[in-house]
Amino acid sequence: MCVKKPMFLWMVLLSMLVLVLSGCGSNNEAKPTVSQTTDTKNEKAITIAASFYPMYVFTLNVAKDIPNVNVVSLTKPTTGCLHDYAITPDDMRNLEGAQILVINGAGMESFMDKITSQLPDLKIIEASEGISLIEGEGDEGANPHVWLSVTDAITQVQTIGNQLAALDSSNAAKYQENTKAYVGKLEALRTKMHQALDGVKQRNIVTFHEAFPYFAKEFNLKTVGVIEREPGSAPSAKELSETIEQIKGLEIKALFAEPQYDPKAAEAIANETGAKVYTLDPIVTGPMEADAYINLMETNLITLQEALK
């Protein structure tokens, strides 16, 4: 009996030691490190607002699939072009919590003074920066519809990507990756459109309003008439008469209306000239989807191939 007692005590002590050691090992495996916990809690959400439809689509592609980055539209997707647009309280509410605002620039967003005065810390990305602008007639200033040139749209996307990478450096690699991927799609679209349009013989076009000079420049088309010289304002009787005579003189067979505007003026001209009315989309409204710009441009291409053949 005296011999067995020390052996028994030794075995009990050994068992307790094993339990203590195994317990410590289990805790080390289960608990995350302090830095892991802190990183998860400190991931900061970023909201990027875009001024209107085409800027939203471009920004959506550049910022896609990045955790904690949210893209919103400042204006409603049905707003269309921002000519003389007055910012609304709802628009301002859409900027609440946004750190960055992507705008087209070139004079499109005439309300920017109000935004910058009320939100001085908001970072502004001007997508048209560095693009050679087409000047309007008289005191109209530069034409802002640069996104309708695929080449200029590529430049805008690259500007958005570069500046987002600089402003949000923690996600810089992903912005750059997304930009490269989307630019590749736009370059393929540009090639497809040039292959289809570079050989057309009829290059004179009459558009609904002054939305297409960059588009026409891209594809070497000549805009010889504009139906509504002021967007949303019906042409005067004199302007209608001048456009009709011009179309008859040039034997133009196609007029291009826009889905965002009433086509009555275009139809009236068509009745007088025998020209056919087609729809050409300036891509200022549409589905809030990443592929929308490319899909709408491809629809424009089909329309032009039919109208200019």
Side-chain angles (χ1 to χ4, degrees):
M1 293 292 292
C2 292
V3 176
K4 291 182 179 179
K5 189 173 182 180
M7 179 63 72
F8 174 76
L9 290 172
W10 171 249
M11 292 178 65
V12 171
L13 290 170
L14 183 62
S15 299
M16 291 175 66
L17 181 61
V18 169
L19 286 170
V20 169
L21 290 173
S22 63
C24 290
S26 175
N27 286 341
N28 285 339
E29 291 174 6
K31 287 183 179 179
T33 64
V34 174
S35 62
Q36 287 174 323
T37 305
T38 302
D39 288 345
T40 301
K41 290 181 178 178
N42 286 346
E43 285 180 353
K44 188 177 180 181
I46 294 176
T47 297
I48 306 167
S51 59
F52 74 128
Y53 184 69
M55 296 304 102
Y56 173 84
V57 174
F58 292 167
T59 305
L60 191 65
N61 279 279
V62 172
K64 69 186 296 186
D65 300 327
I66 302 180
N68 297 318
V69 173
N70 184 36
V71 179
V72 300
S73 180
L74 169 64
T75 56
K76 294 179 181 179
T78 55
T79 300
C81 267
L82 300 179
H83 300 291
D84 302 319
Y85 182 79
I87 204 81
T88 69
D90 283 344
D91 297 334
M92 293 302 293
R93 278 191 286 272
N94 288 338
L95 281 179
E96 290 179 3
Q99 292 77 40
I100 302 168
L101 173 61
V102 178
I103 66 172
N104 179 75
M108 175 61 75
E109 295 88 352
S110 58
F111 48 74
M112 284 304 298
D113 285 347
K114 181 177 181 179
I115 288 177
T116 53
S117 65
Q118 293 189 27
L119 299 168
D121 294 330
L122 187 66
K123 305 298 182 184
I124 309 298
I125 295 175
E126 187 170 342
S128 63
E129 185 178 294
I131 292 174
S132 179
L133 301 179
I134 297 174
E135 294 298 323
E137 296 180 2
D139 58 354
E140 291 178 0
N143 189 298
H145 301 82
V146 295
W147 66 91
L148 287 166
S149 157
V150 185
T151 296
D152 290 338
I154 289 170
T155 299
Q156 289 192 297
V157 169
Q158 290 171 330
T159 296
I160 294 168
N162 289 338
Q163 294 198 31
L164 283 178
L167 292 170
D168 180 19
S169 57
S170 62
N171 289 311
K174 187 60 178 175
Y175 289 124
Q176 291 163 350
E177 178 186 332
N178 287 343
T179 299
K180 183 178 180 180
Y182 189 49
V183 165
K185 292 180 179 181
L186 292 174
E187 288 173 341
L189 171 69
R190 179 174 61 184
T191 298
K192 178 180 180 179
M193 294 186 75
H194 274 286
Q195 287 175 342
L197 297 176
D198 285 354
V200 297
K201 293 181 179 179
Q202 174 57 273
R203 312 205 76 82
N204 293 330
I205 61 173
V206 174
T207 61
F208 197 76
H209 83 280
E210 287 281 11
F212 292 94
Y214 295 92
F215 184 95
K217 181 180 178 181
E218 171 89 43
F219 299 107
N220 194 28
L221 303 173
K222 184 178 180 181
T223 305
V224 297
V226 178
I227 297 169
E228 284 194 4
R229 298 172 193 184
E230 289 292 329
S233 300
S236 66
K238 180 183 177 182
E239 288 171 340
L240 273 176
S241 177
E242 289 173 351
T243 303
I244 288 168
E245 291 306 311
Q246 195 171 28
I247 289 170
K248 287 180 176 178
L250 293 171
E251 298 183 349
I252 291 171
K253 303 300 181 185
L255 308 175
F256 295 100
E258 297 173 23
Q260 295 84 8
Y261 295 97
D262 190 329
K264 285 181 180 177
E267 290 169 352
I269 294 171
N271 289 335
E272 292 293 325
T273 62
K276 186 176 179 180
V277 178
Y278 295 86
T279 300
L280 204 58
D281 199 327
I283 314 184
V284 292
T285 60
M288 306 295 273
E289 299 169 357
D291 290 334
Y293 177 87
I294 291 174
N295 292 340
L296 291 169
M297 270 296 194
E298 288 184 336
T299 299
N300 282 343
L301 173 60
I302 293 170
T303 298
L304 284 164
Q305 286 178 296
E306 172 65 23
L308 301 179
K309 65 182 181 181

